[in-house]
Amino acid sequence: MKHALLVALVRGLQRKERGFLYLDTHAGRGGYDLSVAAQGDSLVRTPEWPEGVGRLWAASDLPAELRDYIDSVRQFDRRAGNIEETARFYPGSPWIVRSLVRPQDRMVLYEQQPAECAALRAEFAGDPQVKVQEADGYGAPRAWLPPAERRALVLIDPPFEAQGEYGRMTTAVSEGLERLPAGVFALWYPLTERARVDAFFASLREMVLPPTLALELVVDPDAPKMKGCGLVVINPPWQFERTTRPTLATLAALLGRSHRATAETIWLVRET
């Protein structure tokens, strides 16, 4: 869901000719070998991707936004050397955006883990439109906003491996909006405990926010841990809610683990 909506955000910003800065605070290594997902530390394990992107890969009659996303995935898969009909290589958010940006757009990618950052640098070595930074991505909005273009899309997608991620996300957004009030911010979060997400929403509402919505996909409401995920979008592009409605409905239908799978859009601060 995150990557499909990321494609929609990029396309929304590209309705205007003027370029923009894409700022990724937790970029990862850039791409992943799905075959490794079947190899645990000591035992063979069941990979998750066939029930995720694998379902979209084999689907027909996808909405235009999802076709755009899957085209980016297929492009990366072929570029990485896969000649089979099934998916093998999957792009992270940096490569998905790189497949879409125009000459007037540019990218800054943050990754704090040294090994992951080294892989990311290798992926984009020699690319004049991409800058890779080995640093704490929560400081990226403070360091790079406002950009020369005066337009930006900031993706904040932490691994949620440490305590306090929601608080650090809120702080990063506050600092970013202070420097670029019209910037588009996308914040990914897991759907585990509803109370934690509602507290996150409350902390965002404490700021003076521009129009802000949350898009949520629940694939298994009975899952003991992660039930789905969501994406908060601050300053969504024009008609973003309407254009992504078919995307969310299709994702719920294709990825749902039960008939109770749902997709929902929640306005935290409505457009006026």
Side-chain angles (χ1 to χ4, degrees):
M1 184 193 86
K2 173 184 66 185
H3 286 159
L5 294 179
L6 182 59
V7 169
L9 286 170
V10 171
R11 293 305 195 199
L13 283 167
Q14 288 176 340
R15 290 194 189 105
K16 294 183 178 180
E17 185 62 26
R18 187 154 51 98
F20 67 92
L21 171 69
Y22 170 71
L23 184 57
D24 196 326
T25 65
H26 298 76
R29 64 189 299 112
Y32 305 89
D33 185 344
L34 297 176
S35 67
V36 176
Q39 303 166 16
D41 295 334
S42 58
L43 298 173
V44 174
R45 65 185 180 188
T46 302
E48 297 178 350
W49 71 264
E51 300 303 312
V53 70
R55 293 190 182 187
L56 301 181
W57 187 273
S60 58
D61 299 325
L62 292 173
E65 288 77 11
L66 279 178
R67 288 199 307 272
D68 206 1
Y69 155 64
I70 286 295
D71 285 346
S72 293
V73 176
R74 290 184 184 276
Q75 177 184 336
F76 179 83
D77 186 59
R78 294 293 181 259
R79 175 191 169 279
N82 185 28
I83 60 173
E84 304 297 329
E85 288 299 318
T86 56
R88 165 74 187 275
F89 299 103
Y90 185 82
S93 51
W95 264 118
I96 287 178
V97 175
R98 184 64 186 92
S99 71
L100 303 173
V101 296
R102 306 160 300 179
Q104 64 266 43
D105 305 323
R106 62 191 176 105
M107 302 170 57
V108 174
L109 312 174
Y110 271 66
E111 175 51 49
Q112 189 171 20
Q113 299 300 322
E116 297 293 286
C117 188
L120 188 65
R121 278 207 173 99
E123 286 280 358
F124 292 101
D127 191 328
Q129 286 183 260
V130 182
K131 183 176 181 62
V132 177
Q133 299 274 89
E134 184 180 330
D136 181 356
Y138 284 117
R142 185 170 60 251
W144 285 92
L145 301 182
E149 299 88 346
R150 310 300 298 185
R151 304 177 69 221
L153 168 58
V154 182
L155 175 64
I156 304 177
D157 174 26
F160 283 90
E161 294 173 347
Q163 295 292 327
E165 297 281 24
Y166 283 117
R168 298 193 74 190
M169 292 168 75
T170 303
T171 299
V173 167
S174 177
E175 292 173 345
L177 285 172
E178 183 179 345
R179 287 159 174 77
L180 188 67
V184 180
F185 295 80
L187 295 77
W188 182 90
Y189 58 93
L191 285 173
T192 52
E193 300 174 29
R194 186 72 242 179
R196 294 187 67 192
V197 174
D198 289 343
F200 175 48
F201 288 175
S203 69
L204 289 173
R205 286 190 178 104
E206 289 176 1
M207 296 187 282
V208 180
L209 282 176
T212 301
L213 54 82
L215 305 102
E216 293 189 349
L217 175 67
V218 176
V219 296
D220 186 358
D222 300 317
K225 294 183 180 180
M226 189 168 168
K227 307 175 189 303
C229 67
L231 193 74
V232 169
V233 180
I234 299 170
N235 282 321
W238 182 66
Q239 293 191 330
F240 185 74
E241 178 190 18
R242 182 185 65 80
T243 58
T244 55
R245 200 174 297 139
T247 297
L248 289 176
T250 301
L251 289 174
L254 289 177
L255 304 183
R257 307 294 173 88
S258 79
H259 67 281
R260 295 173 56 225
T262 59
E264 184 179 10
T265 299
I266 306 159
W267 279 101
L268 303 185
V269 177
R270 279 199 169 270
E271 294 177 317
T272 56

